[in-house]
Amino acid sequence: MIAGISIYEILTVTSILFFIGVYGFITRTNLISILMSVELILNASIINFVVINKYLYPDVFQGVFFSIFIIAVAAAETALAVAIIINLYRQISSVEVKDTEIMKY
Amino acid sequence: MNFNYVILIPLIPLAVFLLLGIFYKKIKPAVSGYIGVFGLLTSTVLSYYTAFQYFFVQEKVDGVYQTFVSKTTWMNFTDTLAIDMGILIDPISVMMLIVVSTISLMVHIYSRGYMKGDEGYTKFFAFLGLFSFSMFGLVLATNLFQIYIFWELVGVSSFLLIGYYYTKPSAVAASKKAFIVTRFADLGFLIGILIVGYYTGTYDFETLNNPEGNAILSWASTSFMGLSVLTWALILIFIGGAGKSAMFPLHIWLPDAMEGPTPVSALIHAATMVVAGVYLVARLFPMYYFVEDGFALNVVAYVGGFSSLFAAIIAVTQNDIKRVLAFSTMSQLGYMMMALGVSGYDGHEGVGYMASMFHLFTHAMFKALLFLGAGSVIHAVHSNYLKDMGGLRKYMPITNITFLIAALAISGVPPFAGFWSKDEILVAAFEHNKLLYFVGLFVAGLTAFYMFRIYFGIFWGKDTQYKHAPHESPIAMTFPLMFLGALSVVVGLIPFSEFVTADKAGFVAHLNYPLAAIAVGVGVVGIILSYIFYKKENDLAEKFSKAFGVFYKWTFNKFYFDEIYLFVTRKIIFNRISAPIAYFDKKYVDGFMEGMGNKTVVVSEKIKGIQSGKFQDYAFAFLAGFVILAMVFIYLWTK
């Protein structure tokens, strides 16, 4: 509970955060930026978990635990994604999405 | 008596065909010739053995030669209608075995000399094997469908062999012509078979031919357009036979078929395949005779008689010796058809049937001999035309003598083979149809005339100066000539009427002296006329042809039948019927289908940009869809 701030305001902030992530995901042309956008989406949902847990069910901790779980998974996923990007960079000397079309074939 | 081994007679040439056909690049020409000859020799020995067993060893039952059938079901249409494959042994099939195997063996031996050094030597023998197989299968067929299958097979082999010199455009055109014309005729044959099958429910010759059987007694009365259905069927079947046997007006392919190698002309277009039509009518003879008092048989008689006259007239004017022989073949086939047409059934009444088969037998021998002799001459002077020949008797004594024997045989001079069979035909015609008798008599005279015209033209006449002196052919070619020459002298003495008759009982034929004398007289007149015209070089013949004027010109151009056919097909059928249909097909049917395809391509060109392959685009589409759906649901729920 944060005094003076209602759940609506926080949810508004996370929604904005989420859609910034989605927008970035769709419009960025750089793989690193896309990865960062995905992180934004994930963070928005983590905040939602925590906030809903805190405001609506203060006597349980599942939301908090779940957010820690997501952070761990996100870290692993980011590491994997960065590894792929680095390998790709070694092959084509670029991290631009349009250059990765070669992977279609 | 067990005749099952007869199945080997067709199968051995088939094996030869497969062996030579599959390995034709690996087998040396010398070897392949021997394989072909040896295979046919085996079949020939088996055929003679079969004939000996059939006619002399096994007993007649009630004075009638028994029919042996051994067959197995091949295709089951319904419970009652099935197609069998098998062998049928009766007097005419045994006689045909002898004819086919003898001529085929002689032609095989002859080809070893004639085709020597030819590029496709092995292929040639392979085709000869295929032809022999098909022809044996045809004569041994037990039912209409089996005969039809082998009928088409001989057509194919004939096509392959006419077009053997496939680099020559005229040979290719001739092979196509032969195939298309006979196929067209076979359409009639097929429809006839289907009618017979539909009404009688069987294709078996034995059942169909039984004079007391269902086919003849009950179905013959079902009528259609004034004639019984079976009469229609028999006429249609005869159209098929007329196509193969080059009867008027389906004869146009036979003269052109002479483009093939000469041994092929001797085997297929003189002695064996072209008599298939006669054989077919003979095979169904009881049906022809009994159904509606032989209406269909009368058709056969008149078509045969007319073809015989028509071809003999044309033969007089032709200058290509092989074409003269081709028209002569057509004329003699007409003779056989005519004899079948005027025949009765029982005992001595069936003299026409007997004479027809007898003439088929003797004609095969001397006509094959004539063709092989002509081949020997062509081999020596490298030309088909009479103008390039003359005085060859000095250079080619064996060919000269054998050709003379064959010419005497076909002219009906006793005691050569043709005299005996031709005499029987004229007797049959005299007893049953005077008009056809006089046609036959006139044709006999014409035959003697044109045959001696080419004989004198080749071996006497002018003394042509040859660039290379012609020489007698090798032994491989002269042996068949001498063998067939000997046969042409003696086969007439076989008492044929005791073996092959319509009712299979046999009778003793007597020479009808007055008729025989008239026939021989007419033949001798023909020979003397051509002696005067052609023995020494003179301009008598030319004067006569001038005197006939337009008629000569018409005859020389074969009464313009090729042109009429070309006019009908090219100008009328192609231009008036086929071209509009082709236009409609191209413009509308094809246009519709192609339009559908083109439109699909255009549409897909337009929309294929959507499938960019970029996952961000897909993510956007997904999101947009989600948002739209969410808005729709929110709108619906909050209403």
Side-chain angles (χ1 to χ4, degrees), chain B residues 234-265:
Chain B
L234 289 173
I235 290 173
L236 284 167
I237 290 174
F238 173 64
I239 289 176
K244 262 295 180 269
S245 288
M247 291 291 102
F248 178 86
L250 294 165
H251 63 276
I252 53 162
W253 65 272
L254 186 59
D256 285 19
M258 296 302 133
E259 292 288 347
T262 310
V264 170
S265 310

PDB file of all heavy atoms in Angstrom, chain B residues 234-265:
ATOM      1  N   LEU B 234     -22.824 -58.407 -88.087  1.00  0.00           N
ATOM      2  CA  LEU B 234     -21.930 -59.120 -89.005  1.00  0.00           C
ATOM      3  C   LEU B 234     -21.408 -58.189 -90.087  1.00  0.00           C
ATOM      4  O   LEU B 234     -20.249 -58.286 -90.494  1.00  0.00           O
ATOM      5  CB  LEU B 234     -22.672 -60.306 -89.638  1.00  0.00           C
ATOM      6  CG  LEU B 234     -22.946 -61.451 -88.673  1.00  0.00           C
ATOM      7  CD1 LEU B 234     -23.819 -62.498 -89.307  1.00  0.00           C
ATOM      8  CD2 LEU B 234     -21.645 -62.078 -88.216  1.00  0.00           C
ATOM      9  N   ILE B 235     -22.270 -57.267 -90.548  1.00  0.00           N
ATOM     10  CA  ILE B 235     -21.791 -56.309 -91.553  1.00  0.00           C
ATOM     11  C   ILE B 235     -20.704 -55.434 -90.945  1.00  0.00           C
ATOM     12  O   ILE B 235     -19.662 -55.167 -91.561  1.00  0.00           O
ATOM     13  CB  ILE B 235     -22.960 -55.465 -92.095  1.00  0.00           C
ATOM     14  CG1 ILE B 235     -23.863 -56.349 -92.945  1.00  0.00           C
ATOM     15  CG2 ILE B 235     -22.445 -54.294 -92.924  1.00  0.00           C
ATOM     16  CD1 ILE B 235     -25.127 -55.687 -93.401  1.00  0.00           C
ATOM     17  N   LEU B 236     -20.920 -55.004 -89.681  1.00  0.00           N
ATOM     18  CA  LEU B 236     -19.900 -54.180 -89.020  1.00  0.00           C
ATOM     19  C   LEU B 236     -18.597 -54.949 -88.849  1.00  0.00           C
ATOM     20  O   LEU B 236     -17.502 -54.414 -89.054  1.00  0.00           O
ATOM     21  CB  LEU B 236     -20.417 -53.711 -87.661  1.00  0.00           C
ATOM     22  CG  LEU B 236     -21.443 -52.587 -87.727  1.00  0.00           C
ATOM     23  CD1 LEU B 236     -22.129 -52.406 -86.396  1.00  0.00           C
ATOM     24  CD2 LEU B 236     -20.762 -51.300 -88.146  1.00  0.00           C
ATOM     25  N   ILE B 237     -18.720 -56.224 -88.474  1.00  0.00           N
ATOM     26  CA  ILE B 237     -17.513 -57.035 -88.325  1.00  0.00           C
ATOM     27  C   ILE B 237     -16.824 -57.165 -89.668  1.00  0.00           C
ATOM     28  O   ILE B 237     -15.597 -57.100 -89.773  1.00  0.00           O
ATOM     29  CB  ILE B 237     -17.860 -58.414 -87.730  1.00  0.00           C
ATOM     30  CG1 ILE B 237     -18.266 -58.250 -86.272  1.00  0.00           C
ATOM     31  CG2 ILE B 237     -16.689 -59.372 -87.849  1.00  0.00           C
ATOM     32  CD1 ILE B 237     -18.761 -59.506 -85.625  1.00  0.00           C
ATOM     33  N   PHE B 238     -17.633 -57.296 -90.726  1.00  0.00           N
ATOM     34  CA  PHE B 238     -17.037 -57.400 -92.056  1.00  0.00           C
ATOM     35  C   PHE B 238     -16.306 -56.108 -92.434  1.00  0.00           C
ATOM     36  O   PHE B 238     -15.306 -56.142 -93.153  1.00  0.00           O
ATOM     37  CB  PHE B 238     -18.106 -57.735 -93.099  1.00  0.00           C
ATOM     38  CG  PHE B 238     -17.583 -57.696 -94.506  1.00  0.00           C
ATOM     39  CD1 PHE B 238     -16.613 -58.593 -94.907  1.00  0.00           C
ATOM     40  CD2 PHE B 238     -18.030 -56.756 -95.411  1.00  0.00           C
ATOM     41  CE1 PHE B 238     -16.103 -58.555 -96.190  1.00  0.00           C
ATOM     42  CE2 PHE B 238     -17.529 -56.705 -96.696  1.00  0.00           C
ATOM     43  CZ  PHE B 238     -16.563 -57.611 -97.091  1.00  0.00           C
ATOM     44  N   ILE B 239     -16.803 -54.967 -91.947  1.00  0.00           N
ATOM     45  CA  ILE B 239     -16.084 -53.714 -92.224  1.00  0.00           C
ATOM     46  C   ILE B 239     -14.676 -53.793 -91.651  1.00  0.00           C
ATOM     47  O   ILE B 239     -13.700 -53.411 -92.300  1.00  0.00           O
ATOM     48  CB  ILE B 239     -16.847 -52.504 -91.650  1.00  0.00           C
ATOM     49  CG1 ILE B 239     -18.104 -52.269 -92.467  1.00  0.00           C
ATOM     50  CG2 ILE B 239     -15.975 -51.258 -91.665  1.00  0.00           C
ATOM     51  CD1 ILE B 239     -18.984 -51.176 -91.938  1.00  0.00           C
ATOM     52  N   GLY B 240     -14.564 -54.325 -90.420  1.00  0.00           N
ATOM     53  CA  GLY B 240     -13.235 -54.524 -89.845  1.00  0.00           C
ATOM     54  C   GLY B 240     -12.389 -55.420 -90.731  1.00  0.00           C
ATOM     55  O   GLY B 240     -11.232 -55.126 -91.033  1.00  0.00           O
ATOM     56  N   GLY B 241     -12.993 -56.526 -91.176  1.00  0.00           N
ATOM     57  CA  GLY B 241     -12.271 -57.457 -92.045  1.00  0.00           C
ATOM     58  C   GLY B 241     -11.902 -56.808 -93.360  1.00  0.00           C
ATOM     59  O   GLY B 241     -10.812 -57.020 -93.889  1.00  0.00           O
ATOM     60  N   ALA B 242     -12.807 -55.977 -93.884  1.00  0.00           N
ATOM     61  CA  ALA B 242     -12.529 -55.309 -95.157  1.00  0.00           C
ATOM     62  C   ALA B 242     -11.372 -54.335 -95.008  1.00  0.00           C
ATOM     63  O   ALA B 242     -10.563 -54.173 -95.917  1.00  0.00           O
ATOM     64  CB  ALA B 242     -13.768 -54.580 -95.650  1.00  0.00           C
ATOM     65  N   GLY B 243     -11.292 -53.691 -93.847  1.00  0.00           N
ATOM     66  CA  GLY B 243     -10.172 -52.778 -93.614  1.00  0.00           C
ATOM     67  C   GLY B 243      -8.853 -53.516 -93.647  1.00  0.00           C
ATOM     68  O   GLY B 243      -7.907 -53.098 -94.296  1.00  0.00           O
ATOM     69  N   LYS B 244      -8.784 -54.646 -92.941  1.00  0.00           N
ATOM     70  CA  LYS B 244      -7.536 -55.404 -92.905  1.00  0.00           C
ATOM     71  C   LYS B 244      -7.229 -56.026 -94.251  1.00  0.00           C
ATOM     72  O   LYS B 244      -6.084 -56.104 -94.649  1.00  0.00           O
ATOM     73  CB  LYS B 244      -7.649 -56.541 -91.885  1.00  0.00           C
ATOM     74  CG  LYS B 244      -7.083 -56.331 -90.512  1.00  0.00           C
ATOM     75  CD  LYS B 244      -5.632 -56.144 -90.361  1.00  0.00           C
ATOM     76  CE  LYS B 244      -5.317 -55.946 -88.903  1.00  0.00           C
ATOM     77  NZ  LYS B 244      -5.314 -54.551 -88.481  1.00  0.00           N
ATOM     78  N   SER B 245      -8.267 -56.488 -94.940  1.00  0.00           N
ATOM     79  CA  SER B 245      -8.037 -57.182 -96.197  1.00  0.00           C
ATOM     80  C   SER B 245      -8.084 -56.244 -97.385  1.00  0.00           C
ATOM     81  O   SER B 245      -8.160 -56.691 -98.517  1.00  0.00           O
ATOM     82  CB  SER B 245      -9.077 -58.286 -96.386  1.00  0.00           C
ATOM     83  OG  SER B 245      -8.802 -59.330 -95.514  1.00  0.00           O
ATOM     84  N   ALA B 246      -8.077 -54.944 -97.133  1.00  0.00           N
ATOM     85  CA  ALA B 246      -8.007 -53.949 -98.206  1.00  0.00           C
ATOM     86  C   ALA B 246      -9.116 -54.109 -99.233  1.00  0.00           C
ATOM     87  O   ALA B 246      -8.887 -54.096-100.425  1.00  0.00           O
ATOM     88  CB  ALA B 246      -6.645 -54.001 -98.895  1.00  0.00           C
ATOM     89  N   MET B 247     -10.354 -54.297 -98.745  1.00  0.00           N
ATOM     90  CA  MET B 247     -11.481 -54.341 -99.667  1.00  0.00           C
ATOM     91  C   MET B 247     -11.902 -52.915-100.001  1.00  0.00           C
ATOM     92  O   MET B 247     -11.777 -52.008 -99.175  1.00  0.00           O
ATOM     93  CB  MET B 247     -12.672 -55.070 -99.024  1.00  0.00           C
ATOM     94  CG  MET B 247     -12.478 -56.550 -98.830  1.00  0.00           C
ATOM     95  SD  MET B 247     -12.432 -57.437-100.380  1.00  0.00           S
ATOM     96  CE  MET B 247     -10.718 -57.703-100.571  1.00  0.00           C
ATOM     97  N   PHE B 248     -12.448 -52.744-101.209  1.00  0.00           N
ATOM     98  CA  PHE B 248     -13.012 -51.457-101.594  1.00  0.00           C
ATOM     99  C   PHE B 248     -14.081 -51.076-100.572  1.00  0.00           C
ATOM    100  O   PHE B 248     -14.868 -51.923-100.197  1.00  0.00           O
ATOM    101  CB  PHE B 248     -13.635 -51.595-102.989  1.00  0.00           C
ATOM    102  CG  PHE B 248     -14.295 -50.354-103.478  1.00  0.00           C
ATOM    103  CD1 PHE B 248     -13.566 -49.395-104.125  1.00  0.00           C
ATOM    104  CD2 PHE B 248     -15.654 -50.168-103.284  1.00  0.00           C
ATOM    105  CE1 PHE B 248     -14.185 -48.251-104.574  1.00  0.00           C
ATOM    106  CE2 PHE B 248     -16.269 -49.026-103.727  1.00  0.00           C
ATOM    107  CZ  PHE B 248     -15.534 -48.064-104.374  1.00  0.00           C
ATOM    108  N   PRO B 249     -14.213 -49.865-100.071  1.00  0.00           N
ATOM    109  CA  PRO B 249     -13.388 -48.693-100.363  1.00  0.00           C
ATOM    110  C   PRO B 249     -12.324 -48.417 -99.300  1.00  0.00           C
ATOM    111  O   PRO B 249     -11.884 -47.290 -99.187  1.00  0.00           O
ATOM    112  CB  PRO B 249     -14.426 -47.586-100.348  1.00  0.00           C
ATOM    113  CG  PRO B 249     -15.377 -48.005 -99.279  1.00  0.00           C
ATOM    114  CD  PRO B 249     -15.381 -49.510 -99.257  1.00  0.00           C
ATOM    115  N   LEU B 250     -11.955 -49.428 -98.531  1.00  0.00           N
ATOM    116  CA  LEU B 250     -10.941 -49.213 -97.491  1.00  0.00           C
ATOM    117  C   LEU B 250      -9.579 -49.738 -97.945  1.00  0.00           C
ATOM    118  O   LEU B 250      -8.739 -50.102 -97.139  1.00  0.00           O
ATOM    119  CB  LEU B 250     -11.372 -49.922 -96.203  1.00  0.00           C
ATOM    120  CG  LEU B 250     -12.632 -49.349 -95.558  1.00  0.00           C
ATOM    121  CD1 LEU B 250     -13.182 -50.310 -94.520  1.00  0.00           C
ATOM    122  CD2 LEU B 250     -12.322 -48.026 -94.911  1.00  0.00           C
ATOM    123  N   HIS B 251      -9.376 -49.769 -99.271  1.00  0.00           N
ATOM    124  CA  HIS B 251      -8.164 -50.387 -99.800  1.00  0.00           C
ATOM    125  C   HIS B 251      -6.991 -49.432 -99.871  1.00  0.00           C
ATOM    126  O   HIS B 251      -5.880 -49.857-100.152  1.00  0.00           O
ATOM    127  CB  HIS B 251      -8.438 -50.883-101.207  1.00  0.00           C
ATOM    128  CG  HIS B 251      -8.768 -49.755-102.135  1.00  0.00           C
ATOM    129  ND1 HIS B 251     -10.048 -49.256-102.225  1.00  0.00           N
ATOM    130  CD2 HIS B 251      -7.997 -49.008-102.945  1.00  0.00           C
ATOM    131  CE1 HIS B 251     -10.036 -48.240-103.083  1.00  0.00           C
ATOM    132  NE2 HIS B 251      -8.813 -48.061-103.529  1.00  0.00           N
ATOM    133  N   ILE B 252      -7.215 -48.134 -99.633  1.00  0.00           N
ATOM    134  CA  ILE B 252      -6.197 -47.156-100.008  1.00  0.00           C
ATOM    135  C   ILE B 252      -4.870 -47.332 -99.285  1.00  0.00           C
ATOM    136  O   ILE B 252      -3.857 -46.829 -99.728  1.00  0.00           O
ATOM    137  CB  ILE B 252      -6.706 -45.725 -99.798  1.00  0.00           C
ATOM    138  CG1 ILE B 252      -7.222 -45.573 -98.380  1.00  0.00           C
ATOM    139  CG2 ILE B 252      -7.774 -45.383-100.796  1.00  0.00           C
ATOM    140  CD1 ILE B 252      -7.336 -44.132 -97.973  1.00  0.00           C
ATOM    141  N   TRP B 253      -4.874 -48.008 -98.154  1.00  0.00           N
ATOM    142  CA  TRP B 253      -3.612 -48.107 -97.410  1.00  0.00           C
ATOM    143  C   TRP B 253      -2.665 -49.141 -98.009  1.00  0.00           C
ATOM    144  O   TRP B 253      -1.451 -49.028 -97.877  1.00  0.00           O
ATOM    145  CB  TRP B 253      -3.877 -48.438 -95.940  1.00  0.00           C
ATOM    146  CG  TRP B 253      -4.483 -49.777 -95.700  1.00  0.00           C
ATOM    147  CD1 TRP B 253      -5.805 -50.085 -95.690  1.00  0.00           C
ATOM    148  CD2 TRP B 253      -3.794 -50.997 -95.449  1.00  0.00           C
ATOM    149  NE1 TRP B 253      -5.974 -51.412 -95.460  1.00  0.00           N
ATOM    150  CE2 TRP B 253      -4.752 -51.998 -95.304  1.00  0.00           C
ATOM    151  CE3 TRP B 253      -2.442 -51.320 -95.335  1.00  0.00           C
ATOM    152  CZ2 TRP B 253      -4.418 -53.315 -95.055  1.00  0.00           C
ATOM    153  CZ3 TRP B 253      -2.110 -52.642 -95.081  1.00  0.00           C
ATOM    154  CH2 TRP B 253      -3.103 -53.613 -94.943  1.00  0.00           C
ATOM    155  N   LEU B 254      -3.210 -50.168 -98.683  1.00  0.00           N
ATOM    156  CA  LEU B 254      -2.353 -51.294 -99.077  1.00  0.00           C
ATOM    157  C   LEU B 254      -1.276 -50.914-100.092  1.00  0.00           C
ATOM    158  O   LEU B 254      -0.108 -51.250 -99.898  1.00  0.00           O
ATOM    159  CB  LEU B 254      -3.212 -52.458 -99.580  1.00  0.00           C
ATOM    160  CG  LEU B 254      -2.429 -53.727 -99.874  1.00  0.00           C
ATOM    161  CD1 LEU B 254      -1.704 -54.223 -98.650  1.00  0.00           C
ATOM    162  CD2 LEU B 254      -3.329 -54.817-100.396  1.00  0.00           C
ATOM    163  N   PRO B 255      -1.609 -50.191-101.183  1.00  0.00           N
ATOM    164  CA  PRO B 255      -0.527 -49.832-102.116  1.00  0.00           C
ATOM    165  C   PRO B 255       0.556 -48.993-101.438  1.00  0.00           C
ATOM    166  O   PRO B 255       1.747 -49.196-101.690  1.00  0.00           O
ATOM    167  CB  PRO B 255      -1.241 -49.029-103.195  1.00  0.00           C
ATOM    168  CG  PRO B 255      -2.652 -49.425-103.100  1.00  0.00           C
ATOM    169  CD  PRO B 255      -2.913 -49.746-101.678  1.00  0.00           C
ATOM    170  N   ASP B 256       0.165 -48.090-100.558  1.00  0.00           N
ATOM    171  CA  ASP B 256       1.158 -47.263 -99.885  1.00  0.00           C
ATOM    172  C   ASP B 256       2.008 -48.077 -98.914  1.00  0.00           C
ATOM    173  O   ASP B 256       3.151 -47.717 -98.634  1.00  0.00           O
ATOM    174  CB  ASP B 256       0.480 -46.127 -99.120  1.00  0.00           C
ATOM    175  CG  ASP B 256      -0.004 -45.048-100.058  1.00  0.00           C
ATOM    176  OD1 ASP B 256      -0.129 -45.363-101.251  1.00  0.00           O
ATOM    177  OD2 ASP B 256      -0.258 -43.925 -99.617  1.00  0.00           O
ATOM    178  N   ALA B 257       1.426 -49.157 -98.400  1.00  0.00           N
ATOM    179  CA  ALA B 257       2.157 -49.969 -97.425  1.00  0.00           C
ATOM    180  C   ALA B 257       3.393 -50.596 -98.048  1.00  0.00           C
ATOM    181  O   ALA B 257       4.242 -51.126 -97.351  1.00  0.00           O
ATOM    182  CB  ALA B 257       1.261 -51.055 -96.848  1.00  0.00           C
ATOM    183  N   MET B 258       3.507 -50.525 -99.380  1.00  0.00           N
ATOM    184  CA  MET B 258       4.672 -51.095-100.051  1.00  0.00           C
ATOM    185  C   MET B 258       5.939 -50.297 -99.776  1.00  0.00           C
ATOM    186  O   MET B 258       7.013 -50.648-100.239  1.00  0.00           O
ATOM    187  CB  MET B 258       4.424 -51.156-101.559  1.00  0.00           C
ATOM    188  CG  MET B 258       3.289 -52.067-101.929  1.00  0.00           C
ATOM    189  SD  MET B 258       3.594 -53.729-101.334  1.00  0.00           S
ATOM    190  CE  MET B 258       2.036 -54.127-100.594  1.00  0.00           C
ATOM    191  N   GLU B 259       5.807 -49.203 -99.016  1.00  0.00           N
ATOM    192  CA  GLU B 259       6.999 -48.439 -98.616  1.00  0.00           C
ATOM    193  C   GLU B 259       7.874 -49.237 -97.670  1.00  0.00           C
ATOM    194  O   GLU B 259       9.045 -48.936 -97.490  1.00  0.00           O
ATOM    195  CB  GLU B 259       6.580 -47.129 -97.934  1.00  0.00           C
ATOM    196  CG  GLU B 259       5.913 -46.144 -98.853  1.00  0.00           C
ATOM    197  CD  GLU B 259       6.893 -45.526 -99.830  1.00  0.00           C
ATOM    198  OE1 GLU B 259       8.099 -45.682 -99.620  1.00  0.00           O
ATOM    199  OE2 GLU B 259       6.432 -44.911-100.798  1.00  0.00           O
ATOM    200  N   GLY B 260       7.297 -50.227 -97.020  1.00  0.00           N
ATOM    201  CA  GLY B 260       8.073 -51.038 -96.080  1.00  0.00           C
ATOM    202  C   GLY B 260       9.085 -51.894 -96.828  1.00  0.00           C
ATOM    203  O   GLY B 260       9.055 -51.987 -98.051  1.00  0.00           O
ATOM    204  N   PRO B 261      10.000 -52.527 -96.097  1.00  0.00           N
ATOM    205  CA  PRO B 261      10.951 -53.431 -96.735  1.00  0.00           C
ATOM    206  C   PRO B 261      10.199 -54.560 -97.454  1.00  0.00           C
ATOM    207  O   PRO B 261       9.136 -54.977 -96.992  1.00  0.00           O
ATOM    208  CB  PRO B 261      11.757 -53.990 -95.565  1.00  0.00           C
ATOM    209  CG  PRO B 261      11.550 -53.042 -94.448  1.00  0.00           C
ATOM    210  CD  PRO B 261      10.216 -52.433 -94.652  1.00  0.00           C
ATOM    211  N   THR B 262      10.744 -55.049 -98.560  1.00  0.00           N
ATOM    212  CA  THR B 262      10.021 -56.028 -99.368  1.00  0.00           C
ATOM    213  C   THR B 262       9.679 -57.329 -98.630  1.00  0.00           C
ATOM    214  O   THR B 262       8.581 -57.849 -98.804  1.00  0.00           O
ATOM    215  CB  THR B 262      10.811 -56.328-100.653  1.00  0.00           C
ATOM    216  OG1 THR B 262      11.153 -55.089-101.243  1.00  0.00           O
ATOM    217  CG2 THR B 262       9.986 -57.130-101.610  1.00  0.00           C
ATOM    218  N   PRO B 263      10.571 -57.868 -97.790  1.00  0.00           N
ATOM    219  CA  PRO B 263      10.163 -59.075 -97.064  1.00  0.00           C
ATOM    220  C   PRO B 263       8.908 -58.838 -96.225  1.00  0.00           C
ATOM    221  O   PRO B 263       8.067 -59.720 -96.093  1.00  0.00           O
ATOM    222  CB  PRO B 263      11.364 -59.377 -96.160  1.00  0.00           C
ATOM    223  CG  PRO B 263      12.499 -58.668 -96.742  1.00  0.00           C
ATOM    224  CD  PRO B 263      11.959 -57.491 -97.464  1.00  0.00           C
ATOM    225  N   VAL B 264       8.788 -57.627 -95.707  1.00  0.00           N
ATOM    226  CA  VAL B 264       7.600 -57.302 -94.918  1.00  0.00           C
ATOM    227  C   VAL B 264       6.370 -57.305 -95.805  1.00  0.00           C
ATOM    228  O   VAL B 264       5.315 -57.830 -95.440  1.00  0.00           O
ATOM    229  CB  VAL B 264       7.778 -55.924 -94.252  1.00  0.00           C
ATOM    230  CG1 VAL B 264       6.483 -55.463 -93.649  1.00  0.00           C
ATOM    231  CG2 VAL B 264       8.856 -56.006 -93.216  1.00  0.00           C
ATOM    232  N   SER B 265       6.505 -56.747 -97.004  1.00  0.00           N
ATOM    233  CA  SER B 265       5.375 -56.770 -97.925  1.00  0.00           C
ATOM    234  C   SER B 265       4.976 -58.208 -98.215  1.00  0.00           C
ATOM    235  O   SER B 265       3.791 -58.534 -98.298  1.00  0.00           O
ATOM    236  CB  SER B 265       5.745 -56.074 -99.231  1.00  0.00           C
ATOM    237  OG  SER B 265       6.313 -54.830 -98.965  1.00  0.00           O
TER     238      SER B 265
END
